[in-house]
Amino acid sequence: MERKNKYDLGGGDILKLSFVLAFPTALAQAVMVLYAIIDRMYIGHIDKVGDLALAGVGVAAPITTLISSFAVLIGLGAAPIMAMRAGHGEKKVAENVVSNALILLLGISMILTPLAYFFRERMLMAFGASMNTISYASSYLGIYVLGTPFSILSTGLNYFLINQGQSRNAMLSVLSGAICNIALDPLFIFVFGMGVEGAAAATVISQGLQMLLTIVFLRLKSCMIRLKLRKPENILKTSLSTIRFGLSPFIIIATDSILMVLLNTVLQKYGKNGSGDMLITAGTIIQSFHLLVMNPLGGITGGCQGLISFNYGAGNTKRVKKAIMCTQLWATLYTVVMFILTFTATKYFVRLFTPDKEIAQFTAGYLRIFEMMIIPLSFQYQNVDSLTALGQIRFSLPISLFRKAVFLVSLLILPALFGAGAAFFAEPVCDLIASIVSTTLLWTNIDKILKKREQEGLKV
């Protein structure tokens, strides 16, 4: 007999459920950020070349983010469908969704690995690398992409734990990888003298460990929907549904990587007197802090997607609406805390990455500008993830693209008018405008969406 799932998604207290699902997932995402941050902290302190090496890794970061976005395409595409089917009482169909996702994740990783490896230097030069930073960027990325299957599978499969109330196990798998990375980074970088290549190797090994544990957790009897190694049924139909659901979060993350590239390019272009590399170093540190804002925030809203999707599948529309509001509460509280830290602890965070006082000083100032509107950002994240959990891609995708479009326009116009530093104002501008638009769209349509579910039944 299978063990009953610990959390009653269909009948437990919504406020408590949303917290116990959101908190471990947010913590897991914060830990996942440590992969990037710890690498950058150690790299920034490599003797004599730390700042240039850090800039090189910063140029490589959009490519690693782009690789991760494909894991999100499948993971966040299939996991809400799994939760809806489970809520609707279709366990075998839900298991089929998971099996199909595993095949898709494996196929994507096999395609991306050779492409990213053999074309990495061309991409890096196009993405803002200079002759001073290309060697560091290429060395780091060359090893990192060899672990693409580990990265894709660990990230993609983790969503299936989260969306069936297994947030604790999802957190433990990520935490194990982060601890491994923390232990291996100084050993490979400094003791073995491997530099940026050592940082990449430590990350690959850590992601491999995380992948293995995620698979083990998905095979446990405590999982309501387990990963079963079998030939999936209706693979074409299920794959198309997965891609349709995952398209919105995929575009969010994929375009994030493109916009990071543009940010690096703009900083390199408008940086006066050869200051482009220094500004990219600052941008790399700022992006590291921003990951500490975005990833746990996405963990809160994404961690509760299963709660929303399960009850939508079960037809409990009142619980759906309450789940959305409770998740917004936790998301807002989190960004309030991060906003306070932005203006009180920034200088200490920046000094973790560079011993250069000049770089640290202007980086801290730009970071405060970049994070001015992170509280409104919580509404944007919750609105998009809630609409995705309800299968409303016709809404979630346009509002995601709208935010990116505002960022792009701001990024192109502001530095041209006011200089390179104005590029850091693009983020707060798009966060504020997009949050207003997405909140208006969600709450003018939510009652219609839920009423249609009551009248017409589940359509996935």
Side-chain angles (χ1 to χ4, degrees), residues 321-376:
K321 200 169 183 178
K322 190 172 181 180
I324 292 173
M325 291 187 287
C326 289
T327 308
Q328 182 61 64
L329 171 65
W330 305 127
T332 303
L333 289 175
Y334 171 73
T335 50
V336 167
V337 172
M338 294 305 296
F339 182 82
I340 294 171
L341 289 176
T342 298
F343 287 87
T344 57
T346 296
K347 61 181 180 180
Y348 304 110
F349 179 83
V350 172
R351 291 305 296 270
L352 292 174
F353 293 83
T354 177
D356 190 302
K357 292 182 179 180
E358 181 185 0
I359 294 177
Q361 184 175 2
F362 72 72
T363 299
Y366 286 138
L367 194 155
R368 295 186 186 102
I369 292 170
F370 202 81
E371 305 295 349
M372 281 194 299
M373 293 295 168
I374 57 175
I375 297 174

Short mmCIF file of all heavy atoms in Angstrom, two decimals, residues 321-376:
data_model
loop_
_atom_site.label_atom_id
_atom_site.label_comp_id
_atom_site.label_asym_id
_atom_site.label_seq_id
_atom_site.Cartn_x
_atom_site.Cartn_y
_atom_site.Cartn_z
N LYS A 321 -8.91 30.52 -5.50
CA LYS A 321 -8.80 31.97 -5.30
C LYS A 321 -8.11 32.31 -3.98
O LYS A 321 -7.27 33.21 -3.90
CB LYS A 321 -10.20 32.59 -5.33
CG LYS A 321 -10.23 34.07 -5.61
CD LYS A 321 -11.66 34.53 -5.89
CE LYS A 321 -11.70 36.01 -6.23
NZ LYS A 321 -13.08 36.45 -6.54
N LYS A 322 -8.42 31.55 -2.95
CA LYS A 322 -7.78 31.79 -1.65
C LYS A 322 -6.29 31.44 -1.70
O LYS A 322 -5.46 32.13 -1.09
CB LYS A 322 -8.48 30.97 -0.58
CG LYS A 322 -8.03 31.33 0.84
CD LYS A 322 -8.87 30.64 1.89
CE LYS A 322 -8.40 31.05 3.30
NZ LYS A 322 -9.22 30.38 4.35
N ALA A 323 -5.95 30.38 -2.45
CA ALA A 323 -4.54 30.00 -2.58
C ALA A 323 -3.74 31.09 -3.27
O ALA A 323 -2.59 31.37 -2.90
CB ALA A 323 -4.44 28.70 -3.37
N ILE A 324 -4.33 31.73 -4.28
CA ILE A 324 -3.65 32.82 -4.98
C ILE A 324 -3.37 33.98 -4.01
O ILE A 324 -2.26 34.53 -3.97
CB ILE A 324 -4.50 33.31 -6.17
CG1 ILE A 324 -4.57 32.22 -7.25
CG2 ILE A 324 -3.94 34.61 -6.75
CD1 ILE A 324 -5.52 32.54 -8.38
N MET A 325 -4.36 34.33 -3.20
CA MET A 325 -4.20 35.45 -2.28
C MET A 325 -3.18 35.14 -1.17
O MET A 325 -2.38 36.00 -0.79
CB MET A 325 -5.55 35.83 -1.68
CG MET A 325 -6.50 36.46 -2.69
SD MET A 325 -8.04 37.12 -1.98
CE MET A 325 -8.91 35.58 -1.60
N CYS A 326 -3.21 33.91 -0.66
CA CYS A 326 -2.25 33.54 0.38
C CYS A 326 -0.82 33.52 -0.15
O CYS A 326 0.11 33.97 0.53
CB CYS A 326 -2.61 32.16 0.95
SG CYS A 326 -4.11 32.14 1.95
N THR A 327 -0.66 33.03 -1.37
CA THR A 327 0.68 33.01 -1.97
C THR A 327 1.20 34.42 -2.17
O THR A 327 2.38 34.71 -1.95
CB THR A 327 0.65 32.26 -3.32
OG1 THR A 327 0.05 30.99 -3.14
CG2 THR A 327 2.06 32.09 -3.86
N GLN A 328 0.31 35.33 -2.58
CA GLN A 328 0.71 36.73 -2.75
C GLN A 328 1.16 37.33 -1.42
O GLN A 328 2.10 38.13 -1.37
CB GLN A 328 -0.44 37.55 -3.33
CG GLN A 328 -0.09 39.02 -3.59
CD GLN A 328 1.03 39.16 -4.59
OE1 GLN A 328 0.88 38.80 -5.75
NE2 GLN A 328 2.16 39.71 -4.15
N LEU A 329 0.51 36.93 -0.34
CA LEU A 329 0.90 37.42 0.99
C LEU A 329 2.35 37.06 1.29
O LEU A 329 3.15 37.93 1.68
CB LEU A 329 -0.02 36.82 2.05
CG LEU A 329 0.40 37.07 3.51
CD1 LEU A 329 0.34 38.55 3.84
CD2 LEU A 329 -0.48 36.26 4.47
N TRP A 330 2.72 35.77 1.09
CA TRP A 330 4.10 35.34 1.38
C TRP A 330 5.10 35.99 0.43
O TRP A 330 6.20 36.37 0.84
CB TRP A 330 4.21 33.82 1.30
CG TRP A 330 3.26 33.07 2.17
CD1 TRP A 330 2.39 32.08 1.81
CD2 TRP A 330 3.06 33.26 3.58
NE1 TRP A 330 1.66 31.64 2.89
CE2 TRP A 330 2.06 32.35 3.99
CE3 TRP A 330 3.62 34.11 4.54
CZ2 TRP A 330 1.61 32.25 5.31
CZ3 TRP A 330 3.17 34.03 5.85
CH2 TRP A 330 2.19 33.11 6.22
N ALA A 331 4.71 36.15 -0.83
CA ALA A 331 5.60 36.77 -1.81
C ALA A 331 5.88 38.22 -1.46
O ALA A 331 7.02 38.70 -1.55
CB ALA A 331 5.00 36.67 -3.21
N THR A 332 4.85 38.94 -1.04
CA THR A 332 5.01 40.35 -0.68
C THR A 332 5.88 40.50 0.57
O THR A 332 6.78 41.36 0.61
CB THR A 332 3.64 41.00 -0.43
OG1 THR A 332 2.82 40.86 -1.60
CG2 THR A 332 3.79 42.49 -0.13
N LEU A 333 5.63 39.67 1.57
CA LEU A 333 6.44 39.74 2.79
C LEU A 333 7.91 39.47 2.50
O LEU A 333 8.80 40.15 3.04
CB LEU A 333 5.91 38.73 3.82
CG LEU A 333 4.56 39.06 4.47
CD1 LEU A 333 4.11 37.92 5.37
CD2 LEU A 333 4.65 40.36 5.26
N TYR A 334 8.17 38.51 1.63
CA TYR A 334 9.56 38.20 1.28
C TYR A 334 10.25 39.39 0.60
O TYR A 334 11.38 39.75 0.96
CB TYR A 334 9.61 36.98 0.35
CG TYR A 334 10.99 36.75 -0.22
CD1 TYR A 334 12.02 36.26 0.59
CD2 TYR A 334 11.29 37.07 -1.54
CE1 TYR A 334 13.30 36.09 0.09
CE2 TYR A 334 12.57 36.89 -2.05
CZ TYR A 334 13.56 36.40 -1.23
OH TYR A 334 14.83 36.24 -1.73
N THR A 335 9.57 40.02 -0.35
CA THR A 335 10.21 41.14 -1.05
C THR A 335 10.36 42.37 -0.17
O THR A 335 11.29 43.16 -0.37
CB THR A 335 9.42 41.51 -2.33
OG1 THR A 335 8.02 41.66 -2.02
CG2 THR A 335 9.58 40.44 -3.39
N VAL A 336 9.49 42.53 0.82
CA VAL A 336 9.68 43.62 1.79
C VAL A 336 10.98 43.42 2.56
O VAL A 336 11.77 44.36 2.75
CB VAL A 336 8.48 43.70 2.76
CG1 VAL A 336 8.80 44.62 3.95
CG2 VAL A 336 7.24 44.21 2.04
N VAL A 337 11.22 42.18 2.99
CA VAL A 337 12.47 41.86 3.71
C VAL A 337 13.68 42.13 2.82
O VAL A 337 14.67 42.75 3.25
CB VAL A 337 12.46 40.40 4.19
CG1 VAL A 337 13.83 40.01 4.75
CG2 VAL A 337 11.39 40.20 5.24
N MET A 338 13.61 41.69 1.56
CA MET A 338 14.73 41.88 0.65
C MET A 338 14.94 43.35 0.31
O MET A 338 16.08 43.79 0.11
CB MET A 338 14.51 41.07 -0.63
CG MET A 338 14.53 39.57 -0.43
SD MET A 338 16.03 38.95 0.39
CE MET A 338 17.29 39.38 -0.82
N PHE A 339 13.87 44.12 0.27
CA PHE A 339 13.99 45.56 0.02
C PHE A 339 14.76 46.23 1.16
O PHE A 339 15.63 47.07 0.93
CB PHE A 339 12.60 46.18 -0.12
CG PHE A 339 12.60 47.66 -0.41
CD1 PHE A 339 12.80 48.12 -1.71
CD2 PHE A 339 12.42 48.57 0.61
CE1 PHE A 339 12.81 49.49 -1.97
CE2 PHE A 339 12.43 49.94 0.36
CZ PHE A 339 12.62 50.39 -0.94
N ILE A 340 14.43 45.85 2.38
CA ILE A 340 15.13 46.40 3.55
C ILE A 340 16.61 46.02 3.51
O ILE A 340 17.49 46.87 3.75
CB ILE A 340 14.47 45.91 4.85
CG1 ILE A 340 13.05 46.47 4.97
CG2 ILE A 340 15.31 46.31 6.07
CD1 ILE A 340 12.24 45.88 6.11
N LEU A 341 16.90 44.77 3.19
CA LEU A 341 18.29 44.32 3.12
C LEU A 341 19.06 45.04 2.02
O LEU A 341 20.27 45.29 2.15
CB LEU A 341 18.35 42.81 2.88
CG LEU A 341 17.93 41.93 4.06
CD1 LEU A 341 17.93 40.46 3.66
CD2 LEU A 341 18.87 42.15 5.25
N THR A 342 18.37 45.36 0.93
CA THR A 342 19.02 46.06 -0.17
C THR A 342 19.63 47.38 0.29
O THR A 342 20.71 47.77 -0.14
CB THR A 342 18.01 46.34 -1.31
OG1 THR A 342 17.51 45.10 -1.81
CG2 THR A 342 18.66 47.12 -2.45
N PHE A 343 18.93 48.07 1.18
CA PHE A 343 19.39 49.39 1.60
C PHE A 343 20.14 49.38 2.93
O PHE A 343 20.54 50.43 3.43
CB PHE A 343 18.20 50.35 1.68
CG PHE A 343 17.69 50.75 0.32
CD1 PHE A 343 16.74 49.99 -0.33
CD2 PHE A 343 18.19 51.87 -0.31
CE1 PHE A 343 16.29 50.33 -1.60
CE2 PHE A 343 17.75 52.24 -1.58
CZ PHE A 343 16.79 51.47 -2.22
N THR A 344 20.33 48.21 3.51
CA THR A 344 21.07 48.14 4.77
C THR A 344 22.32 47.26 4.70
O THR A 344 23.28 47.49 5.44
CB THR A 344 20.17 47.62 5.91
OG1 THR A 344 19.65 46.32 5.55
CG2 THR A 344 19.02 48.57 6.16
N ALA A 345 22.31 46.25 3.83
CA ALA A 345 23.40 45.27 3.83
C ALA A 345 24.13 45.17 2.50
O ALA A 345 24.99 44.30 2.33
CB ALA A 345 22.85 43.90 4.23
N THR A 346 23.81 46.06 1.55
CA THR A 346 24.39 45.97 0.21
C THR A 346 25.91 46.00 0.21
O THR A 346 26.56 45.21 -0.47
CB THR A 346 23.84 47.10 -0.68
OG1 THR A 346 22.44 46.93 -0.84
CG2 THR A 346 24.49 47.08 -2.05
N LYS A 347 26.47 46.93 0.96
CA LYS A 347 27.93 47.10 0.91
C LYS A 347 28.66 45.85 1.40
O LYS A 347 29.74 45.53 0.91
CB LYS A 347 28.35 48.33 1.72
CG LYS A 347 28.00 48.27 3.20
CD LYS A 347 28.45 49.56 3.90
CE LYS A 347 28.09 49.52 5.39
NZ LYS A 347 28.53 50.77 6.07
N TYR A 348 28.06 45.15 2.35
CA TYR A 348 28.68 43.93 2.85
C TYR A 348 28.59 42.81 1.81
O TYR A 348 29.52 42.02 1.65
CB TYR A 348 28.00 43.49 4.15
CG TYR A 348 28.01 44.56 5.22
CD1 TYR A 348 26.82 45.21 5.58
CD2 TYR A 348 29.19 44.95 5.85
CE1 TYR A 348 26.82 46.20 6.56
CE2 TYR A 348 29.20 45.93 6.83
CZ TYR A 348 28.01 46.56 7.17
OH TYR A 348 28.02 47.55 8.12
N PHE A 349 27.46 42.75 1.12
CA PHE A 349 27.28 41.74 0.07
C PHE A 349 28.29 41.94 -1.05
O PHE A 349 28.94 40.99 -1.51
CB PHE A 349 25.86 41.81 -0.48
CG PHE A 349 25.57 40.82 -1.58
CD1 PHE A 349 25.21 39.52 -1.28
CD2 PHE A 349 25.67 41.19 -2.91
CE1 PHE A 349 24.95 38.60 -2.28
CE2 PHE A 349 25.42 40.29 -3.92
CZ PHE A 349 25.05 38.98 -3.60
N VAL A 350 28.46 43.18 -1.49
CA VAL A 350 29.36 43.48 -2.61
C VAL A 350 30.80 43.13 -2.27
O VAL A 350 31.53 42.59 -3.12
CB VAL A 350 29.24 44.97 -2.99
CG1 VAL A 350 30.30 45.35 -4.01
CG2 VAL A 350 27.85 45.27 -3.55
N ARG A 351 31.20 43.37 -1.03
CA ARG A 351 32.59 43.10 -0.66
C ARG A 351 32.92 41.61 -0.64
O ARG A 351 34.10 41.24 -0.62
CB ARG A 351 32.89 43.72 0.72
CG ARG A 351 32.91 45.24 0.72
CD ARG A 351 33.89 45.82 -0.30
NE ARG A 351 35.25 45.46 -0.02
CZ ARG A 351 36.07 46.20 0.75
NH1 ARG A 351 35.62 47.32 1.30
NH2 ARG A 351 37.31 45.82 0.95
N LEU A 352 31.90 40.76 -0.67
CA LEU A 352 32.13 39.31 -0.76
C LEU A 352 32.74 38.94 -2.11
O LEU A 352 33.39 37.91 -2.25
CB LEU A 352 30.82 38.54 -0.57
CG LEU A 352 30.18 38.58 0.82
CD1 LEU A 352 28.82 37.89 0.78
CD2 LEU A 352 31.08 37.91 1.86
N PHE A 353 32.53 39.79 -3.12
CA PHE A 353 32.92 39.47 -4.49
C PHE A 353 34.20 40.14 -4.95
O PHE A 353 34.85 39.66 -5.87
CB PHE A 353 31.79 39.86 -5.46
CG PHE A 353 30.55 39.04 -5.30
CD1 PHE A 353 29.61 39.36 -4.34
CD2 PHE A 353 30.32 37.94 -6.10
CE1 PHE A 353 28.45 38.61 -4.18
CE2 PHE A 353 29.17 37.18 -5.96
CZ PHE A 353 28.24 37.52 -5.00
N THR A 354 34.52 41.28 -4.36
CA THR A 354 35.71 42.01 -4.83
C THR A 354 36.39 42.74 -3.69
O THR A 354 35.72 43.38 -2.88
CB THR A 354 35.32 43.01 -5.94
OG1 THR A 354 36.49 43.76 -6.34
CG2 THR A 354 34.24 43.96 -5.50
N PRO A 355 37.71 42.70 -3.65
CA PRO A 355 38.45 43.48 -2.66
C PRO A 355 38.68 44.91 -3.11
O PRO A 355 39.16 45.74 -2.33
CB PRO A 355 39.77 42.70 -2.53
CG PRO A 355 39.97 42.08 -3.88
CD PRO A 355 38.59 41.76 -4.39
N ASP A 356 38.36 45.23 -4.38
CA ASP A 356 38.58 46.55 -4.94
C ASP A 356 37.54 47.53 -4.39
O ASP A 356 36.35 47.42 -4.67
CB ASP A 356 38.49 46.48 -6.47
CG ASP A 356 38.94 47.78 -7.13
OD1 ASP A 356 38.35 48.84 -6.84
OD2 ASP A 356 39.87 47.72 -7.97
N LYS A 357 37.98 48.52 -3.60
CA LYS A 357 37.06 49.45 -2.94
C LYS A 357 36.31 50.33 -3.93
O LYS A 357 35.13 50.66 -3.73
CB LYS A 357 37.83 50.32 -1.94
CG LYS A 357 38.37 49.54 -0.75
CD LYS A 357 39.07 50.46 0.23
CE LYS A 357 39.60 49.67 1.43
NZ LYS A 357 40.30 50.54 2.41
N GLU A 358 36.97 50.72 -5.03
CA GLU A 358 36.31 51.57 -6.02
C GLU A 358 35.16 50.83 -6.70
O GLU A 358 34.04 51.36 -6.82
CB GLU A 358 37.32 52.03 -7.08
CG GLU A 358 36.70 52.94 -8.15
CD GLU A 358 37.68 53.30 -9.24
OE1 GLU A 358 38.85 52.85 -9.18
OE2 GLU A 358 37.28 54.02 -10.19
N ILE A 359 35.43 49.59 -7.13
CA ILE A 359 34.38 48.79 -7.76
C ILE A 359 33.25 48.51 -6.77
O ILE A 359 32.06 48.60 -7.11
CB ILE A 359 34.95 47.46 -8.30
CG1 ILE A 359 35.93 47.73 -9.45
CG2 ILE A 359 33.83 46.54 -8.77
CD1 ILE A 359 36.60 46.49 -10.00
N ALA A 360 33.60 48.22 -5.53
CA ALA A 360 32.60 47.92 -4.51
C ALA A 360 31.69 49.11 -4.26
O ALA A 360 30.47 48.94 -4.10
CB ALA A 360 33.28 47.49 -3.21
N GLN A 361 32.25 50.31 -4.27
CA GLN A 361 31.46 51.50 -3.95
C GLN A 361 30.42 51.81 -5.02
O GLN A 361 29.23 51.99 -4.72
CB GLN A 361 32.39 52.71 -3.77
CG GLN A 361 31.64 53.97 -3.33
CD GLN A 361 32.58 55.13 -3.04
OE1 GLN A 361 33.79 55.01 -3.18
NE2 GLN A 361 32.02 56.26 -2.61
N PHE A 362 30.84 51.84 -6.30
CA PHE A 362 29.83 52.20 -7.31
C PHE A 362 28.88 51.03 -7.60
O PHE A 362 27.74 51.23 -8.02
CB PHE A 362 30.47 52.77 -8.58
CG PHE A 362 31.20 51.80 -9.47
CD1 PHE A 362 30.54 50.86 -10.23
CD2 PHE A 362 32.60 51.88 -9.59
CE1 PHE A 362 31.23 50.00 -11.07
CE2 PHE A 362 33.28 51.01 -10.43
CZ PHE A 362 32.60 50.07 -11.17
N THR A 363 29.33 49.79 -7.34
CA THR A 363 28.44 48.65 -7.50
C THR A 363 27.29 48.71 -6.49
O THR A 363 26.13 48.44 -6.83
CB THR A 363 29.20 47.32 -7.33
OG1 THR A 363 30.22 47.22 -8.32
CG2 THR A 363 28.26 46.13 -7.46
N ALA A 364 27.60 49.06 -5.24
CA ALA A 364 26.57 49.15 -4.20
C ALA A 364 25.51 50.19 -4.57
O ALA A 364 24.31 49.97 -4.38
CB ALA A 364 27.21 49.51 -2.86
N GLY A 365 25.94 51.32 -5.13
CA GLY A 365 24.98 52.35 -5.55
C GLY A 365 24.08 51.89 -6.66
O GLY A 365 22.85 52.09 -6.63
N TYR A 366 24.65 51.25 -7.67
CA TYR A 366 23.85 50.75 -8.79
C TYR A 366 22.91 49.62 -8.34
O TYR A 366 21.80 49.49 -8.88
CB TYR A 366 24.76 50.26 -9.91
CG TYR A 366 25.43 51.37 -10.70
CD1 TYR A 366 26.78 51.26 -11.07
CD2 TYR A 366 24.74 52.51 -11.07
CE1 TYR A 366 27.40 52.26 -11.80
CE2 TYR A 366 25.35 53.52 -11.79
CZ TYR A 366 26.68 53.39 -12.16
OH TYR A 366 27.30 54.39 -12.88
N LEU A 367 23.35 48.82 -7.39
CA LEU A 367 22.51 47.71 -6.93
C LEU A 367 21.23 48.24 -6.27
O LEU A 367 20.14 47.69 -6.48
CB LEU A 367 23.30 46.84 -5.95
CG LEU A 367 22.71 45.47 -5.59
CD1 LEU A 367 23.82 44.52 -5.17
CD2 LEU A 367 21.67 45.54 -4.49
N ARG A 368 21.34 49.29 -5.49
CA ARG A 368 20.16 49.88 -4.84
C ARG A 368 19.17 50.40 -5.87
O ARG A 368 17.95 50.29 -5.71
CB ARG A 368 20.58 50.99 -3.88
CG ARG A 368 21.41 50.49 -2.69
CD ARG A 368 21.69 51.60 -1.70
NE ARG A 368 22.59 51.13 -0.65
CZ ARG A 368 23.89 51.42 -0.58
NH1 ARG A 368 24.43 52.20 -1.51
NH2 ARG A 368 24.63 50.95 0.39
N ILE A 369 19.70 50.98 -6.94
CA ILE A 369 18.83 51.45 -8.02
C ILE A 369 18.12 50.27 -8.69
O ILE A 369 16.90 50.29 -8.92
CB ILE A 369 19.65 52.22 -9.07
CG1 ILE A 369 20.16 53.54 -8.47
CG2 ILE A 369 18.84 52.48 -10.34
CD1 ILE A 369 21.19 54.25 -9.34
N PHE A 370 18.87 49.23 -8.97
CA PHE A 370 18.35 48.06 -9.69
C PHE A 370 17.21 47.39 -8.94
O PHE A 370 16.27 46.86 -9.55
CB PHE A 370 19.51 47.05 -9.88
CG PHE A 370 19.30 46.07 -11.00
CD1 PHE A 370 19.57 46.43 -12.31
CD2 PHE A 370 18.87 44.78 -10.74
CE1 PHE A 370 19.41 45.53 -13.36
CE2 PHE A 370 18.70 43.86 -11.78
CZ PHE A 370 18.96 44.24 -13.09
N GLU A 371 17.26 47.42 -7.60
CA GLU A 371 16.28 46.69 -6.78
C GLU A 371 15.19 47.59 -6.19
O GLU A 371 14.45 47.15 -5.31
CB GLU A 371 17.01 45.96 -5.64
CG GLU A 371 18.11 45.03 -6.07
CD GLU A 371 17.62 43.85 -6.90
OE1 GLU A 371 16.39 43.64 -6.96
OE2 GLU A 371 18.45 43.13 -7.49
N MET A 372 15.03 48.79 -6.67
CA MET A 372 14.07 49.72 -6.07
C MET A 372 12.63 49.22 -6.09
O MET A 372 11.83 49.55 -5.22
CB MET A 372 14.13 51.08 -6.80
CG MET A 372 15.27 51.96 -6.40
SD MET A 372 15.05 53.66 -6.99
CE MET A 372 15.01 53.41 -8.77
N MET A 373 12.25 48.44 -7.11
CA MET A 373 10.85 48.04 -7.28
C MET A 373 10.64 46.54 -7.10
O MET A 373 9.78 45.95 -7.76
CB MET A 373 10.37 48.48 -8.67
CG MET A 373 10.29 49.98 -8.83
SD MET A 373 9.03 50.68 -7.72
CE MET A 373 9.43 52.44 -7.85
N ILE A 374 11.39 45.94 -6.18
CA ILE A 374 11.24 44.49 -6.01
C ILE A 374 9.93 44.13 -5.31
O ILE A 374 9.45 43.00 -5.46
CB ILE A 374 12.44 43.87 -5.26
CG1 ILE A 374 12.65 44.53 -3.90
CG2 ILE A 374 13.68 43.93 -6.11
CD1 ILE A 374 13.75 43.87 -3.09
N ILE A 375 9.34 45.03 -4.55
CA ILE A 375 8.04 44.73 -3.92
C ILE A 375 6.95 44.60 -4.99
O ILE A 375 6.20 43.62 -4.99
CB ILE A 375 7.69 45.76 -2.84
CG1 ILE A 375 8.72 45.71 -1.70
CG2 ILE A 375 6.28 45.51 -2.29
CD1 ILE A 375 8.55 46.78 -0.65
N PRO A 376 6.82 45.55 -5.92
CA PRO A 376 5.87 45.34 -7.03
C PRO A 376 6.20 44.09 -7.86
O PRO A 376 5.29 43.46 -8.39
CB PRO A 376 6.04 46.61 -7.87
CG PRO A 376 6.50 47.64 -6.92
CD PRO A 376 7.38 46.92 -5.94
#
